[in-house]
Amino acid sequence: MISKVTKANMLQEKEYLEHFSVKTFKDQLELNHILLAFNGMFTQEVLTLIGKTLQSTPNSQMISKRLFAIVIEMAQNIHHYSAHKAYSEKDEKEVGTGVITIGSDDQYFHICSGNYIKKSEVPPLLERADYINELDKEELRDFYREVRKAPQRANKPGANLGLIDMVRKSGNPVLIEIEEVDDDISFFILNVKINKEL
């Protein structure tokens, strides 16, 4: 005989599954060849787990290192700049949350991140990405050195090298897409691809 409490719990589970299809989620992962996906707060433990997972990625150790380096850059961006935050006991403050996926097609690995950002941050981000994407290898190296020597930006954590590093390490331009959410917030999507054959 099923107790009232058990019945209530089963009803809650059914209601949850009506809003989230595990099958659709799995089909989407397979359709897009997603090797790894994480949503939430990127703690040191999470990054360590991702690093270990990438060690078993097919292809070379060099590619695994590049994939992980780009994941770290994206995770730092989410940590510092996401408009959606959660409390981190380790940092003893609220930190950004977001999603990172790693997928692949015949030619490339695709590392993609997504997080909410303030709408006012969109124009300078797009302008910076456009500028960096236009630079050739030597210009990119020179710009990296110039930014690294620049004074720390006021109220901005990090060295402002993330997008430059991603283009240098991937050997490809970064792709940014913005989805409007409301008058103050946008959803920021960043995609970087790495050639499977170096």
Side-chain angles (χ1 to χ4, degrees), residues 64-91:
S64 296
K65 285 183 178 178
R66 290 185 184 188
L67 285 170
F68 189 57
I70 289 168
V71 167
I72 294 289
E73 291 292 346
M74 289 180 170
Q76 287 176 343
N77 283 342
I78 290 170
H79 181 90
H80 292 307
Y81 300 116
S82 176
H84 279 195
K85 300 185 184 299
Y87 185 77
S88 164
E89 291 186 4
K90 183 181 177 187
D91 294 329

Side-chain angles (χ1 to χ4, degrees), residues 14-125:
K14 282 185 179 178
E15 285 176 356
Y16 173 78
L17 291 176
E18 283 175 6
H19 298 287
F20 174 65
S21 167
V22 178
K23 180 183 179 302
T24 301
F25 183 60
K26 182 181 185 305
D27 290 346
Q28 284 286 323
L29 293 176
E30 288 187 354
L31 180 68
N32 296 288
H33 307 283
I34 302 298
L35 309 170
L36 186 149
F38 180 83
N39 179 56
M41 193 168 30
F42 288 86
T43 62
Q44 186 59 49
E45 291 77 15
V46 169
L47 292 174
T48 300
L49 188 61
I50 292 173
K52 286 182 179 176
T53 303
L54 291 178
Q55 286 175 2
S56 60
T57 303
N59 301 72
S60 73
Q61 189 177 7
M62 178 69 77
I63 290 177
S64 296
K65 285 183 178 178
R66 290 185 184 188
L67 285 170
F68 189 57
I70 289 168
V71 167
I72 294 289
E73 291 292 346
M74 289 180 170
Q76 287 176 343
N77 283 342
I78 290 170
H79 181 90
H80 292 307
Y81 300 116
S82 176
H84 279 195
K85 300 185 184 299
Y87 185 77
S88 164
E89 291 186 4
K90 183 181 177 187
D91 294 329
E92 298 182 334
K93 64 178 182 180
E94 290 198 324
V95 299
T97 61
V99 60
I100 292 180
T101 66
I102 300 175
S104 71
D105 59 23
D106 292 340
Q107 284 185 285
Y108 302 102
F109 288 104
H110 297 270
I111 313 106
C112 187
S113 69
N115 59 279
Y116 294 96
I117 60 172
K118 293 177 185 173
K119 211 167 192 172
S120 59
E121 294 176 351
V122 171
L125 255 175

